[in-house]
Amino acid sequence: MFFFEDYAIENHNFFSLIELVDQNFPVHFHRAAELIWVEKGTISVSIEQENWQLKKGECIFVFPNQMHEIIFIEQARLQILVFSPELIGSFFTKYKGYVPENPILRLEKPFPVSKIDSYYYQKSFLYGVCDKLVTNSSLIKVEYSAQTKAVQSLISYVDEHYMEAITLKIAAANIKYDYFYLSKLFKKVTTYRFNDYLNQYRISQACYQLRGTQKSISEIAMDCGYQNMRTFNRNFQNIIACTPLQFRNKG
């Protein structure tokens, strides 16, 4: 599915184009690299607690394993390209352990949908983006702290177990961190309380299934960790501002 799966761990030629419309996406990270291009509107992207605002025609380059979040400021439509770093292996080998000081690029045209299946065009396009990046920004050495690694472990646990009845205490015990330490740290790093994040995550997964599958709403609720339809509907409306059926009917 979407952003949270272990993209490109086994498939070194992974290259997927996703469209996102007026839907925030909570803090996440993955092994793949990601390009987020704004077709219309305005969004804010948070990368490792630094916020960047993007307008129409702007693109942001998210490196592998960077925690990031997408927030819609006004009505917006995005194209999101997720790809394995091996597709531009010489670039990521050279800059392993580095991140761009300024990850924002200007791309006047959308991603090449008509040529997306061409392996050589994929590499050509991505290397062209890399050239723009190193021309317009310096790359700086980064080392992830023990705190960042702890939060990444918790996010990974949610990714793998969100469909189950999990709590922060259960997660903390399984990833071997102190519950109180992890609770405070997660709020500090992500600005979310754990339960709020878990609900954001589950509802984001539900949105994907509502638009991408023919499953019933009750099946989707169960798939996303909700045993109670009333709770699912309430959380969905609080986060998306419409009912699951209204969301599906919007297409």
Side-chain angles (χ1 to χ4, degrees):
M1 148 39 204
F2 230 13
F3 297 111
F4 291 88
E5 285 190 349
D6 295 327
Y7 280 135
I9 285 179
E10 296 179 353
N11 181 4
H12 288 180
N13 295 330
F14 184 86
F15 186 94
S16 180
L17 185 61
I18 301 156
E19 187 177 83
L20 194 63
V21 181
D22 296 334
Q23 182 191 332
N24 294 342
F25 216 91
V27 181
H28 60 286
F29 76 101
H30 38 67
R31 183 186 175 276
E34 185 174 322
L35 295 172
I36 304 168
W37 181 74
V38 182
E39 184 177 342
K40 71 171 186 177
T42 306
I43 65 167
S44 174
V45 177
S46 172
I47 303 177
E48 301 293 345
Q49 298 179 273
E50 187 168 3
N51 295 317
W52 304 89
Q53 186 166 306
L54 285 80
K55 298 180 180 179
K56 180 180 177 180
E58 291 182 322
C59 174
I60 194 163
F61 199 138
V62 183
F63 274 36
N65 297 317
Q66 286 191 297
M67 288 192 292
H68 54 290
E69 177 181 20
I70 302 171
I71 299 173
F72 283 74
I73 296 174
E74 60 183 52
Q75 274 198 326
R77 181 184 299 272
L78 312 181
Q79 283 189 348
I80 301 174
L81 189 58
V82 185
F83 60 94
S84 56
E86 284 78 10
L87 281 171
I88 45 176
S90 60
F91 175 82
F92 276 114
T93 298
K94 181 176 181 179
Y95 292 109
K96 186 176 182 179
Y98 288 77
V99 296
E101 189 171 25
N102 178 8
I104 296 181
L105 304 167
R106 184 82 192 173
L107 297 180
E108 298 298 337
K109 296 181 180 179
F111 296 141
V113 178
S114 61
K115 298 182 179 181
I116 198 169
D117 293 328
S118 168
Y119 172 74
Y120 295 109
Y121 191 87
Q122 291 170 7
K123 293 178 73 71
S124 172
F125 172 77
L126 293 174
Y127 272 115
V129 173
C130 292
D131 179 64
K132 282 179 177 287
L133 183 70
V134 298
T135 299
N136 292 290
S137 174
S138 57
L139 282 92
I140 55 177
K141 184 76 173 175
V142 62
E143 291 185 10
Y144 292 111
S145 67
Q147 291 184 338
T148 298
K149 290 177 181 178
V151 172
Q152 287 182 332
S153 294
L154 182 55
I155 289 174
S156 292
Y157 185 87
V158 172
D159 180 31
E160 294 172 7
H161 298 278
Y162 70 92
M163 69 294 294
E164 302 167 12
I166 61 173
T167 65
L168 181 56
K169 285 186 177 180
I170 291 172
N174 277 278
I175 63 176
K176 297 179 173 32
Y177 281 96
D178 178 76
Y179 164 74
F180 295 104
Y181 167 77
L182 203 56
S183 178
K184 291 180 180 179
L185 179 63
F186 191 78
K187 180 69 165 63
K188 176 184 175 183
V189 172
T190 69
T191 73
Y192 286 98
R193 292 180 302 174
F194 178 77
N195 284 342
D196 292 337
Y197 172 77
L198 179 60
N199 280 317
Q200 286 271 358
Y201 185 99
R202 285 171 165 167
I203 296 303
S204 295
Q205 298 285 346
C207 287
Y208 174 79
Q209 291 199 40
L210 285 165
R211 282 185 170 158
T213 75
Q214 297 301 314
K215 291 181 180 180
S216 70
I217 292 175
S218 59
E219 284 180 296
I220 290 171
M222 294 282 287
D223 284 350
C224 295
Y226 289 100
Q227 303 301 315
N228 184 301
M229 283 301 297
R230 185 176 180 182
T231 302
F232 173 68
N233 287 323
R234 182 180 67 247
N235 286 340
F236 196 98
Q237 291 187 69
N238 286 341
I239 292 168
I240 306 299
C242 66
T243 68
L245 182 59
Q246 288 170 335
F247 182 86
R248 170 169 269 174
N249 289 340
K250 286 179 183 178

